[in-house]
Amino acid sequence: MRISELSRRTAVPAATIKYYVREGLLHPPTEVGYNRTEYDESHESRLRLVRALIEVGGVSVAAARGVVAALDNPELPAFELAGAAQSAMLGEHKASRSAQDRVATLLRDRGWCVSETNPGLGMVAAVLDRYDELHLTHLEQILPAYAQAAELAARAETDAAFGFPESERLAETVIVGTVLGDQVLAGLRRLAQEAITRDRLGSLPAAGYDTAGSENSRARS
Amino acid sequence: MRISELSRRTAVPAATIKYYVREGLLHPPTEVGYNRTEYDESHESRLRLVRALIEVGGVSVAAARGVVAALDNPELPAFELAGAAQSAMLGEHKASRSAQDRVATLLRDRGWCVSETNPGLGMVAAVLDRYDELHLTHLEQILPAYAQAAELAARAETDAAFGFPESERLAETVIVGTVLGDQVLAGLRRLAQEAITRDRLGSLPAAGYDTAGSENSRARS
């Protein structure tokens, strides 16, 4: 298909498509004669993936390039793909030895066995250092609950990934699941926070999405 | 204190401190004579907060400005602070009517009562649209598990926030808890994903953080 057709199908402007090709996020189109190029379904699905990472996942163009490179590496086992995707997204997190030790203790307590290169290690330790620095160390008490929540989510994700038959799409499932899963979890956490706070305080302004008055509120929205 | 002292204490370069003041992330220092300004502890603690948001939370300077403005608004109830912080971070998410309906159904199923302005609504719905578009709709099966995990995390966070006595720091607890909680949860999720995958496959390369060989692996790190 022409670039105009690809643009129409995906609602991505032609200039952005060309930019993604230049940046290595999308494989080049086929040259089919003088000054004419042809895109196919593989471009369409890749373009949708790149847009999901960048627009919904909040991933930078440079990081998305790392994710796409990991996806195109057939040598990489699926479970390392998630790590590659995540490392590309997060950059380096420096953390104190004390924070690293506390994360190691948490892992031992939960019986989690992970490699030293798992990007989650630095990510969690860096946050613990910030709690210390801001004198908000009471937030560290939440850590076991976060770990339990993370395990619950990860178990369901792993079930979904293993339940998926086609191996090519397994890689995509892992990447999309990892990046967009952060957004779902973050979004649902905000919703749960509000719902629980309303429950506890009992006297907040009326909510739009009410379990009791849901039909009314949905009709309004 | 002078800017050099503030810079030494927080490890933030003086030029960055001045930039934060210009950008409205940090209140201006006191003028104490010709070409001399004085910073105090309030600048130090705010600077640590801003740095935590930007460097660890991955929040943009513009978004951090919104968070700080919400924090400085004494009218805002604490539970709305999290929403303000989150809205500032996320921007607008457009989602289809069908995805919004599916989120509403999930909320009803869980008995969550939230306002229509909760940023989590658009966030989750936007991801559901991306699952559809990428033909990865089987990922939507994970949604109930994500909701359960989110509720678990939010309950522990709400307990921590309500257990905190000083009201001024309550606002900071909510903001830091919200923004950095995303990072902790994302990091722990990666760790849990790897641990669970290793369990299931049984034959992966040796892990650095092993519950059995933990003393050895920690000595190596």
Side-chain angles (χ1 to χ4, degrees):
Chain A
M1 72 190 93
R2 302 282 187 104
I3 194 167
S4 56
E5 170 69 7
L6 180 63
S7 169
R8 195 189 58 72
R9 286 200 196 184
T10 57
V12 176
T16 307
I17 295 173
K18 287 181 184 168
Y19 170 70
Y20 287 165
V21 172
R22 280 198 308 275
E23 290 291 322
L25 295 174
L26 194 64
H27 44 294
T30 316
E31 313 257 350
V32 288
Y34 180 70
N35 213 10
R36 239 203 84 192
T37 55
E38 185 77 15
Y39 294 82
D40 58 32
E41 271 68 32
S42 72
H43 293 95
E44 185 180 341
S45 59
R46 176 56 56 91
L47 188 54
R48 289 188 196 279
L49 174 69
V50 166
R51 202 180 51 154
L53 294 174
I54 291 177
E55 289 183 14
V56 182
V59 173
S60 70
V61 168
R65 197 189 295 120
V67 173
V68 159
L71 193 62
D72 289 339
N73 179 356
E75 307 284 300
L76 217 57
F79 89 97
E80 281 184 15
L81 257 175
Q86 185 57 13
S87 305
M89 282 176 58
L90 295 173
E92 283 290 300
H93 281 285
K94 270 195 256 178
S96 71
R97 181 58 192 260
S98 146
Q100 288 175 18
D101 283 349
R102 279 177 284 164
V103 175
T105 303
L106 178 76
L107 294 177
R108 259 200 308 284
D109 289 350
R110 298 208 69 85
W112 289 359
C113 169
V114 304
S115 71
E116 281 171 15
T117 55
N118 190 306
L121 293 170
M123 224 172 149
V124 177
V127 173
L128 296 186
D129 276 336
R130 287 309 169 281
Y131 287 168
D132 287 349
E133 218 179 79
L134 294 165
H135 306 293
L136 294 172
T137 43
H138 63 296
L139 288 175
E140 203 170 323
Q141 295 164 12
I142 313 175
L143 216 53
Y146 280 142
Q148 207 186 330
E151 194 168 318
L152 218 154
R155 200 166 292 280
E157 288 170 323
T158 315
D159 286 346
F162 277 88
F164 205 69
E166 304 156 57
S167 66
E168 201 214 323
R169 304 230 61 200
L170 172 62
E172 223 177 300
T173 300
V174 170
I175 284 182
V176 173
T178 301
V179 175
L180 297 195
D182 282 340
Q183 298 292 319
V184 176
L185 212 43
L188 289 172
R189 208 170 120 248
R190 263 83 193 169
L191 294 166
Q193 281 172 349
E194 187 185 337
I196 291 168
T197 309
R198 283 180 179 277
D199 258 7
R200 288 182 79 137
L201 299 183
S203 61
L204 296 174
Y209 284 89
D210 192 323
T211 41
S214 54
E215 288 316 310
N216 287 340
S217 54
R218 285 183 58 210
R220 260 189 288 120
S221 73
Chain B
M1 72 189 94
R2 303 280 188 101
I3 195 168
S4 55
E5 170 68 7
L6 180 64
S7 169
R8 196 190 57 73
R9 286 200 195 184
T10 57
V12 177
T16 307
I17 295 173
K18 287 181 186 169
Y19 170 70
Y20 286 164
V21 171
R22 280 200 307 277
E23 290 290 323
L25 295 175
L26 194 64
H27 44 295
T30 317
E31 312 259 349
V32 289
Y34 180 70
N35 211 12
R36 239 203 84 192
T37 54
E38 185 76 14
Y39 294 82
D40 58 31
E41 270 68 33
S42 72
H43 292 94
E44 185 180 341
S45 58
R46 175 56 56 93
L47 187 54
R48 290 188 195 280
L49 175 69
V50 166
R51 205 182 46 154
L53 295 174
I54 291 176
E55 290 184 12
V56 181
V59 173
S60 71
V61 167
R65 196 190 294 120
V67 173
V68 159
L71 193 61
D72 289 340
N73 178 357
E75 307 284 299
L76 217 56
F79 89 96
E80 281 185 14
L81 257 174
Q86 185 57 13
S87 305
M89 284 175 58
L90 295 173
E92 284 291 301
H93 282 284
K94 270 194 256 174
S96 71
R97 180 59 192 261
S98 146
Q100 288 175 20
D101 284 349
R102 279 176 284 164
V103 175
T105 303
L106 179 75
L107 295 176
R108 258 200 309 284
D109 289 349
R110 297 208 68 85
W112 290 358
C113 169
V114 303
S115 70
E116 280 171 17
T117 56
N118 190 306
L121 293 170
M123 229 174 144
V124 177
V127 173
L128 295 186
D129 277 336
R130 288 308 170 278
Y131 287 168
D132 286 350
E133 218 180 80
L134 295 164
H135 306 293
L136 294 171
T137 43
H138 63 297
L139 288 175
E140 203 169 323
Q141 296 164 11
I142 314 177
L143 216 54
Y146 280 142
Q148 207 186 330
E151 193 168 319
L152 218 153
R155 200 166 293 280
E157 287 170 322
T158 315
D159 287 346
F162 277 88
F164 205 67
E166 304 156 58
S167 67
E168 200 213 323
R169 303 230 61 200
L170 172 63
E172 223 177 300
T173 300
V174 171
I175 285 182
V176 173
T178 301
V179 175
L180 296 195
D182 282 340
Q183 298 292 318
V184 176
L185 212 44
L188 289 171
R189 208 170 118 249
R190 263 84 191 167
L191 294 166
Q193 281 173 349
E194 186 185 340
I196 292 167
T197 309
R198 283 181 179 277
D199 258 7
R200 289 181 80 137
L201 298 183
S203 60
L204 296 175
Y209 282 89
D210 192 322
T211 40
S214 53
E215 287 317 311
N216 287 341
S217 55
R218 284 183 59 210
R220 258 189 287 121
S221 75

